[in-house]
Each structure stands twice: as C-alpha cells, then as structure tokens.
Coordinates of all heavy atoms in Angstrom, one line a residue:
R1 N 0.8 -22.7 -87.6 CA 0.1 -23.9 -87.8 C -0.8 -24.2 -86.5 O -1.9 -24.6 -86.7 CB 1.0 -25.1 -88.0 CG 0.3 -26.4 -88.4 CD 1.3 -27.5 -88.7 NE 2.3 -27.7 -87.6 CZ 3.6 -27.4 -87.7 NH1 4.1 -26.8 -88.8 NH2 4.4 -27.6 -86.7
V2 N -0.3 -23.9 -85.4 CA -0.9 -24.3 -84.1 C -2.0 -23.2 -83.8 O -3.1 -23.7 -83.4 CB 0.1 -24.4 -83.0 CG1 -0.7 -24.6 -81.6 CG2 1.0 -25.5 -83.2
A3 N -1.8 -22.0 -83.9 CA -2.7 -20.9 -83.5 C -2.7 -19.9 -84.5 O -2.2 -18.7 -84.3 CB -2.3 -20.4 -82.2
P4 N -3.3 -20.1 -85.7 CA -3.3 -19.1 -86.8 C -4.1 -17.8 -86.4 O -3.7 -16.6 -86.6 CB -3.9 -19.7 -88.0 CG -4.7 -20.9 -87.4 CD -4.0 -21.3 -86.2
L5 N -5.2 -17.9 -85.7 CA -6.0 -16.8 -85.3 C -5.4 -16.0 -84.3 O -5.4 -14.7 -84.3 CB -7.4 -17.2 -84.9 CG -8.3 -17.8 -86.0 CD1 -9.6 -18.2 -85.5 CD2 -8.5 -16.8 -87.2
S6 N -4.8 -16.6 -83.3 CA -4.1 -15.9 -82.2 C -2.9 -15.2 -82.8 O -2.6 -14.0 -82.4 CB -3.6 -16.9 -81.1 OG -4.8 -17.4 -80.5
T7 N -2.1 -15.8 -83.7 CA -1.0 -15.1 -84.4 C -1.4 -13.9 -85.1 O -0.8 -12.9 -85.0 CB -0.3 -16.1 -85.3 OG1 0.1 -17.3 -84.6 CG2 0.9 -15.5 -85.9
A8 N -2.5 -14.0 -85.9 CA -3.0 -12.9 -86.7 C -3.5 -11.8 -85.7 O -3.2 -10.6 -86.0 CB -4.1 -13.3 -87.6
G9 N -4.2 -12.2 -84.7 CA -4.6 -11.2 -83.7 C -3.5 -10.5 -83.0 O -3.5 -9.3 -82.8
F10 N -2.4 -11.2 -82.7 CA -1.3 -10.7 -82.0 C -0.6 -9.6 -82.9 O -0.3 -8.5 -82.4 CB -0.3 -11.8 -81.6 CG 0.9 -11.2 -80.9 CD1 0.9 -10.7 -79.7 CD2 2.1 -11.2 -81.6 CE1 2.1 -10.3 -79.0 CE2 3.3 -10.7 -81.0 CZ 3.2 -10.2 -79.8
L11 N -0.4 -10.0 -84.2 CA 0.2 -9.1 -85.1 C -0.7 -7.9 -85.4 O -0.1 -6.7 -85.4 CB 0.5 -9.8 -86.4 CG 1.6 -10.9 -86.4 CD1 1.7 -11.6 -87.7 CD2 2.9 -10.3 -86.0
G12 N -2.0 -8.0 -85.6 CA -2.9 -7.0 -85.8 C -2.9 -6.0 -84.6 O -2.9 -4.7 -84.8
L13 N -3.1 -6.5 -83.4 CA -3.1 -5.7 -82.2 C -1.8 -4.9 -82.0 O -1.8 -3.8 -81.6 CB -3.4 -6.6 -81.0 CG -4.8 -7.1 -80.9 CD1 -5.0 -8.1 -79.8 CD2 -5.9 -6.0 -80.8
S14 N -0.7 -5.6 -82.3 CA 0.6 -5.0 -82.2 C 0.7 -3.7 -83.1 O 1.3 -2.7 -82.8 CB 1.8 -5.9 -82.4 OG 1.7 -6.9 -81.5
V15 N 0.2 -3.9 -84.4 CA 0.2 -2.8 -85.4 C -0.6 -1.7 -84.8 O -0.3 -0.5 -84.9 CB -0.1 -3.3 -86.7 CG1 -0.4 -2.1 -87.7 CG2 0.9 -4.2 -87.3
L16 N -1.8 -2.0 -84.3 CA -2.7 -1.0 -83.9 C -2.2 -0.3 -82.6 O -2.3 0.9 -82.5 CB -4.1 -1.6 -83.5 CG -5.0 -2.0 -84.6 CD1 -6.2 -2.7 -84.1 CD2 -5.3 -0.8 -85.5
A17 N -1.5 -1.0 -81.8 CA -0.8 -0.4 -80.6 C 0.2 0.6 -81.0 O 0.5 1.7 -80.3 CB -0.3 -1.4 -79.7
G18 N 0.9 0.3 -82.1 CA 2.0 1.2 -82.5 C 1.4 2.4 -83.2 O 2.0 3.5 -83.2
L19 N 0.2 2.3 -83.9 CA -0.4 3.4 -84.6 C -1.2 4.3 -83.6 O -1.5 5.4 -84.0 CB -1.2 2.9 -85.7 CG -0.5 2.3 -86.9 CD1 -1.5 1.7 -87.9 CD2 0.5 3.2 -87.5
S20 N -1.6 3.8 -82.5 CA -2.4 4.5 -81.6 C -1.9 5.9 -81.2 O -2.6 6.9 -81.2 CB -2.8 3.7 -80.4 OG -3.5 4.3 -79.4
P21 N -0.6 5.9 -80.7 CA -0.1 7.3 -80.4 C -0.1 8.3 -81.5 O -0.3 9.5 -81.4 CB 1.4 7.0 -79.8 CG 1.3 5.5 -79.6 CD 0.3 4.9 -80.4
V22 N 0.2 7.7 -82.7 CA 0.3 8.6 -83.9 C -1.1 9.1 -84.1 O -1.3 10.4 -84.4 CB 0.9 7.8 -85.1 CG1 0.8 8.7 -86.3 CG2 2.3 7.4 -84.8
G23 N -2.1 8.2 -84.1 CA -3.5 8.8 -84.3 C -3.9 9.7 -83.3 O -4.6 10.7 -83.5
A24 N -3.5 9.5 -82.0 CA -3.8 10.4 -80.9 C -3.3 11.8 -81.2 O -3.9 12.8 -80.9 CB -3.5 9.9 -79.6
A25 N -2.0 11.8 -81.6 CA -1.3 13.1 -81.9 C -2.0 13.8 -83.0 O -2.2 15.0 -82.9 CB 0.2 12.8 -82.1
W26 N -2.3 13.1 -84.1 CA -3.0 13.7 -85.2 C -4.3 14.3 -84.8 O -4.7 15.4 -85.2 CB -3.0 12.7 -86.4 CG -3.7 13.2 -87.6 CD1 -3.3 14.2 -88.4 CD2 -4.9 12.7 -88.2 NE1 -4.1 14.3 -89.4 CE2 -5.2 13.4 -89.3 CE3 -5.8 11.7 -87.8 CZ2 -6.3 13.2 -90.1 CZ3 -6.9 11.5 -88.6 CH2 -7.1 12.3 -89.7
L27 N -5.1 13.5 -84.1 CA -6.4 13.9 -83.7 C -6.3 15.1 -82.7 O -7.2 16.0 -82.7 CB -7.2 12.8 -83.1 CG -7.7 11.7 -84.1 CD1 -8.3 10.5 -83.4 CD2 -8.8 12.4 -85.0
T28 N -5.3 15.1 -81.9 CA -5.2 16.2 -81.0 C -5.0 17.6 -81.7 O -5.5 18.6 -81.4 CB -4.0 16.0 -80.0 OG1 -4.3 14.8 -79.2 CG2 -3.8 17.1 -79.1
K29 N -4.1 17.4 -82.8 CA -3.8 18.6 -83.7 C -5.1 19.1 -84.3 O -5.4 20.3 -84.3 CB -2.8 18.3 -84.7 CG -2.5 19.4 -85.7 CD -2.6 18.9 -87.1 CE -2.2 19.9 -88.1 NZ -3.4 20.8 -88.5
L30 N -5.9 18.1 -84.8 CA -7.2 18.5 -85.5 C -8.2 19.1 -84.5 O -8.9 20.1 -84.8 CB -7.8 17.3 -86.2 CG -7.0 16.8 -87.4 CD1 -7.7 15.6 -88.0 CD2 -6.9 17.9 -88.5
V31 N -8.3 18.6 -83.3 CA -9.2 19.2 -82.3 C -8.7 20.6 -81.9 O -9.5 21.5 -81.8 CB -9.3 18.2 -81.0 CG1 -9.9 18.9 -79.9 CG2 -10.0 17.0 -81.3
L32 N -7.4 20.8 -81.7 CA -6.9 22.1 -81.4 C -7.2 23.1 -82.5 O -7.5 24.2 -82.3 CB -5.5 22.0 -81.0 CG -5.2 21.4 -79.7 CD1 -3.7 21.2 -79.4 CD2 -5.9 22.1 -78.5
D33 N -7.0 22.6 -83.8 CA -7.3 23.5 -84.9 C -8.8 23.8 -85.0 O -9.1 25.0 -85.3 CB -6.9 22.8 -86.2 CG -5.4 22.7 -86.4 OD1 -4.7 23.4 -85.7 OD2 -5.0 21.9 -87.3
G34 N -9.6 22.9 -84.5 CA -11.0 23.2 -84.6 C -11.5 24.1 -83.5 O -12.4 24.9 -83.6
L35 N -10.7 24.1 -82.4 CA -11.0 25.0 -81.3 C -10.6 26.4 -81.5 O -11.2 27.4 -81.1 CB -10.4 24.5 -79.9 CG -10.9 23.2 -79.4 CD1 -10.1 22.8 -78.2 CD2 -12.4 23.4 -79.1
T36 N -9.6 26.6 -82.4 CA -9.1 28.0 -82.7 C -9.9 28.6 -83.8 O -9.8 29.8 -83.9 CB -7.6 27.9 -83.1 OG1 -7.4 27.1 -84.2 CG2 -6.7 27.4 -81.9

C-alpha cells in the first residue's frame, strides 16, 4: 500500500539477480560451443 512500485521493483530485481548466474553459465556454454 505504501510503496507498490518499490515493492514490485524489489521483487523483480531479486528474481533477475537469482537468474543472472544461470544465464551467465548458459551463455558461457553457448560461447564455448561456438568457439569449438
């Protein structure tokens, strides 16, 4: 009620921060596959 945008931003950023290492690992695999 007090800060709906900040709450949504906090939740969204937290999800992105959790997915960031997974995306980095997946992209690293694809880059290495592309180099070979």
Side-chain angles (χ1 to χ4, degrees):
R1 186 177 58 251
V2 173
L5 292 177
S6 295
T7 303
F10 179 74
L11 292 174
L13 290 171
S14 297
V15 168
L16 287 176
L19 293 176
S20 177
V22 176
W26 179 63
L27 287 169
T28 301
K29 180 231 182 267
L30 292 177
V31 167
L32 291 175
D33 287 347
L35 292 175
T36 59

